[in-house]
Amino acid sequence: MARKTANDDPLAPVTLAVGQEELLLDRAVQEVVAAAKASDADTDVRDLTPDQLQPGTLAELTSPSLFAERKVVVVRNAQDLSADTIKDVKAYLGAPAEEITLVLLHAGGAKGKGLLDAARKAGAREVACPKMTKPADRLAFVRQEFRVVGRSATPEACQALVDAIGSDLRELASAVSQLVADVEGTIDEAVVGRYYTGRAEASSFTVADRAVEGRAAEALEALRWSLATGVAPVMITSALAQGVRAIGKLSSARGGRPADLARELGMPPWKIDRVRQQMRGWTPDGVSVALRAVAEADAGVKGGGDDPEYALEKAVVTIARAARSRGRS
């Protein structure tokens, strides 16, 4: 999510949006425009690319108006402005015009750094819009999307949405909007699964979750749905392997708080809680049996067998039985 400086007035004379995350850059612009139009519905908005902002253009756009109209001037990819135009912008930063808000979108980095430094020195309101490359950042983004609209979503639901949608923030934001519009009450993992079960990651992990929970019939149903919607068998064996390994890791770990175990095992805390619930029927022998079943299925779907679907069904049934091995003779 975008981070802002202490000066959080969207009608500050200059807003500097820095980063390469297009959705966040667009939202930074939208916030300024919305505030300006709330102040004056007739606000004039000029959205310009570097080739449109020639030397002298900024002076024309910011010159005093007879009607003293409010104006928002947006300059995209400011790092690509010509040297002469950068001089114009720097001069303007020293004496910004009243009733005008200048929004500079800058990718950051070395290119055009002089303009970036000048805007910061002039006290521009800054909005950080970094590219979200880490899964944890995207998870935090989804949580914030739900919080902003005042809706509750479980940690598992947020994680499932990230797993299902991937790294595109626009798609993540759109998915949150759809869920919020269509679903009443708390949004949980089951809801996300119903909406996005056709996604490869979501459906393959659903198969794995039902299998390690010992729910063979539901796991087989999820497996057949996944295969019918085009999920690659290798993705399902990967999810099964991750599910069984998580059971094995946690069962051999020393007890402790989820946060401590998360650091030790390299899992998010919410997953520690889930795996703890899933591992109740497991024994060490059951884990070994399940891992062998996954290895056989993996070989089967990678060309070692004649029927990949049968190999997966066999593995799912074996894992589900292993999940109920505790207490059986």
Side-chain angles (χ1 to χ4, degrees):
M1 68 214 90
R3 298 187 301 275
K4 302 169 186 175
T5 56
N7 176 15
D8 196 23
D9 180 7
L11 293 181
V14 181
T15 286
L16 178 64
V18 183
Q20 299 179 40
E21 191 60 70
E22 291 296 331
L23 174 64
L24 300 183
L25 290 168
D26 285 345
R27 285 185 173 182
V29 173
Q30 291 164 8
E31 182 183 25
V32 172
V33 171
K37 286 186 176 293
S39 175
D40 180 352
D42 295 324
T43 294
D44 181 21
V45 179
R46 304 295 181 91
D47 198 325
L48 307 171
T49 56
D51 61 305
Q52 295 173 314
L53 194 66
Q54 298 297 319
T57 304
L58 184 61
E60 294 176 9
L61 291 174
T62 59
S63 60
S65 168
L66 177 64
F67 303 102
E69 63 181 351
R70 179 172 287 282
K71 186 180 294 184
V72 175
V73 178
V74 180
V75 180
R76 297 184 181 271
N77 298 312
Q79 72 279 356
D80 295 330
L81 292 172
S82 68
D84 288 338
T85 303
I86 287 177
K87 289 180 182 178
D88 287 351
V89 176
K90 286 182 176 180
Y92 177 82
L93 292 173
E98 292 185 11
E99 300 300 312
I100 293 178
T101 298
L102 175 65
V103 184
L104 299 173
L105 307 188
H106 195 293
K111 188 175 183 181
K113 190 173 183 298
L115 177 58
L116 194 63
D117 292 341
R120 286 169 171 162
K121 186 176 180 180
R125 167 182 178 259
E126 184 168 345
V127 182
C129 306
K131 200 75 176 173
M132 293 190 182
T133 58
K134 297 179 180 178
D137 292 337
R138 294 192 287 273
L139 181 58
F141 171 80
V142 168
R143 288 173 175 167
Q144 179 66 14
E145 290 291 288
F146 282 116
R147 280 196 292 267
V148 165
V149 294
R151 292 295 300 277
S152 176
T154 66
E156 294 84 356
C158 293
Q159 183 65 54
L161 198 58
V162 172
D163 290 340
I165 301 299
S167 60
D168 191 305
L169 288 200
R170 291 190 189 278
E171 286 196 27
L172 285 170
S174 176
V176 170
S177 296
Q178 181 181 23
L179 289 169
V180 166
D182 293 355
V183 180
E184 295 182 358
T186 298
I187 294 166
D188 59 19
E189 185 181 16
V191 169
V192 175
R194 285 200 302 272
Y195 272 76
Y196 299 101
T197 190
R199 299 277 187 163
E201 297 90 341
S203 53
S204 60
F205 282 114
T206 297
V207 175
D209 283 341
R210 299 297 86 82
V212 300
E213 290 163 2
R215 296 152 66 177
E218 293 177 41
L220 287 171
E221 181 182 359
L223 171 63
R224 288 160 190 156
W225 175 259
S226 296
L227 294 172
T229 54
V231 178
V234 68
M235 294 192 67
I236 298 173
T237 56
S238 175
L240 290 170
Q242 290 184 49
V244 175
R245 287 179 190 138
I247 297 287
K249 283 182 179 181
L250 193 56
S251 62
S252 61
R254 292 174 296 177
R257 297 179 305 169
D260 296 332
L261 287 170
R263 285 191 294 270
E264 179 184 343
L265 302 179
M267 299 181 190
W270 67 264
K271 190 169 184 178
I272 296 292
D273 292 332
R274 174 193 285 178
V275 176
R276 274 178 167 165
Q277 295 174 355
Q278 293 174 334
M279 63 184 284
R280 289 171 182 165
W282 285 87
T283 64
D285 287 343
V287 172
S288 297
V289 169
L291 286 174
R292 285 196 297 272
V294 172
E296 291 173 3
D298 190 55
V301 303
K302 290 179 178 177
D306 297 328
D307 191 341
E309 291 188 20
Y310 173 73
L312 285 170
E313 289 181 358
K314 182 180 177 182
V316 164
V317 171
T318 301
I319 292 168
R321 287 175 178 168
R324 301 193 302 270
S325 58
R326 187 181 299 278
R328 294 191 318 186
S329 56

